[in-house]
């Protein structure tokens, strides 16, 4: 079986998008697992947001760049829309993660800021950059 460049790009875009979604779903399963034992809202939220970080943000930006740097028409519109939605979700979850780390985090204020910068802020910056690129992309330029 042979694969064209366009098909390879589409497969890669879908694979990256599914990986981002799986990281998000992993947080959902972590939160469900936390509810099974002794839990607090703080612990459930922490487990839900655990996968939100630089890795999710980098995957989101990689997906956006793969899509916009592909020739016009080589990526389906629904893949583009899915990527735009994932980028917005990554940025939004990053904001929630930052707020959770700063308000409900453990340790000193400096420790909470460090943790938020390492995880949530990275997701916000990279996810928002991906969303901005995708939402303002002009394919004819």
């Amino acid at each position: 079986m042979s694969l064209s460049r366009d098909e390879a790009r589409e497969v890669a875009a879908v694979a990256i998008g599914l990986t981002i979604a799986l990281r998000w779903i992993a947080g959902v399963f972590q939160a469900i697992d936390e509810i099974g034992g002794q839990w607090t809202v703080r612990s459930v939220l922490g487990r839900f947001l655990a996968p939100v970080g630089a890795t999710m943000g980098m995957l989101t930006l990689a997906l956006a760049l793969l899509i916009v740097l592909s020739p016009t028409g080589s990526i389906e519109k629904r893949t583009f829309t899915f990527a735009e939605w994932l980028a917005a979700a990554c940025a939004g979850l990053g904001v929630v993660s930052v707020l959770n780390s700063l308000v409900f985090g453990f340790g000193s204020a400096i420790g909470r800021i460090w943790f938020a910068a390492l995880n949530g802020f990275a997701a916000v910056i990279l996810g928002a950059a991906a969303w901005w690129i995708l939402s303002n992309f002009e394919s004819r330029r």
Side-chain angles (χ1 to χ4, degrees), residues 43-69:
S43 68
V44 171
L45 196 55
R47 294 285 298 267
F48 173 70
L49 296 170
V52 178
T55 302
M56 183 184 280
M58 286 186 282
L59 285 168
T60 306
L61 187 58
L63 176 59
L65 292 177
L66 175 65
I67 288 172
V68 300
L69 296 176

